[in-house]
Amino acid sequence: MKNHLRKEMKRRLADIPPAAIVARSQLACQALIATEEFRGSRCVMLYMPMPHEASPLSAALAAWQQDKIVLVPKVDYQQRHMIAVRITGMNDEMVVCGHYAIREPVASEPWPLEDIDLVVVPALAYDRSGNRLGRGAGFYDRFLSHSDLHATTCGLALCDQVVERVPTAGNDWPVSMLVTDKEVLRFTGLTPRGNAGQGETYDSAC
């Protein structure tokens, strides 16, 4: 079921014009920036976007303007391990890594997990209980499950990526909130293996 949904979501996202993804990503970032969770965070971890994916870069710019610390992932593909590394601007030296050709910082000093306040998480799909469907490598599930990480976890997506139910299994980890270009959802009772609590909806649905 997961592979079927992944194929469907990739097709759905590929059908959205790139200019629309940029514009709608900016709307989602505006909603994220307005949340109490973002405003109250000193240290924010974001991600470097792939093509046909909601981009958090507007939120990164806002974070720097507000003197926040901005982190992005750096992956060890052999060890299947992900760390958070600080960047100070989009002009920081980057390299293109991995199967998905994602930009990563050259710097490799890991930021302490306990000092991160907010982690903005990518995915192919989310449901209204906080469950997320990643691309299958499990990097974020392992990262989010670390005992030293106490941050709020926030999915960022287009409203097209919100589905009725995301299939879950094993050590899948939900997010504690979800922001799209149409709504903000917050979830309670988070546990691993997809047993997220019900969400509270704000604004309008897609």
Side-chain angles (χ1 to χ4, degrees), residues 39-156:
R39 295 200 309 267
S41 295
R42 176 179 174 272
C43 180
V44 178
M45 182 177 178
L46 302 163
Y47 60 90
M48 301 302 295
M50 297 172 56
H52 306 291
E53 182 174 63
S55 171
L57 298 186
S58 294
L61 295 175
W64 283 314
Q65 291 170 354
Q66 297 174 25
D67 294 323
K68 299 182 187 294
I69 295 167
V70 176
L71 313 174
V72 295
K74 187 178 180 70
V75 172
D76 184 328
Y77 289 91
Q78 290 186 337
Q79 299 294 323
R80 302 185 68 79
H81 175 67
M82 188 172 82
I83 61 173
V85 175
R86 185 177 185 178
I87 60 172
T88 57
M90 289 304 165
N91 293 325
D92 282 15
E93 189 175 0
M94 297 274 182
V95 293
V96 176
C97 297
H99 175 71
Y100 299 112
I102 299 173
R103 295 176 67 212
E104 294 186 353
V106 172
S108 58
E109 183 67 27
W111 196 264
L113 296 182
E114 59 269 24
D115 292 344
I116 304 174
D117 300 308
L118 176 66
V119 181
V120 179
V121 183
L124 285 170
Y126 293 92
D127 64 24
R128 294 179 178 275
S129 293
N131 298 308
R132 60 178 291 274
L133 179 73
R135 295 180 181 269
F139 289 114
Y140 271 94
D141 289 318
R142 288 189 289 274
F143 183 84
L144 298 179
S145 69
H146 200 288
S147 60
D148 290 340
L149 183 69
H150 308 295
T152 299
T153 55
C154 176
L156 184 74

Side-chain angles (χ1 to χ4, degrees), residues 2 18 36-37 48 79 94 113 138 164 171 175 190 195:
K2 283 189 175 185
E36 295 180 3
E37 291 84 355
M48 301 302 295
Q79 299 294 323
M94 297 274 182
L113 296 182
E164 181 177 351
N171 292 319
V175 291
L190 297 180
N195 296 320

Side-chain angles (χ1 to χ4, degrees), residues 191-206:
T191 61
R193 304 180 190 276
N195 296 320
Q198 294 299 309
E200 182 179 358
T201 307
Y202 299 83
D203 303 331
S204 60
C206 183

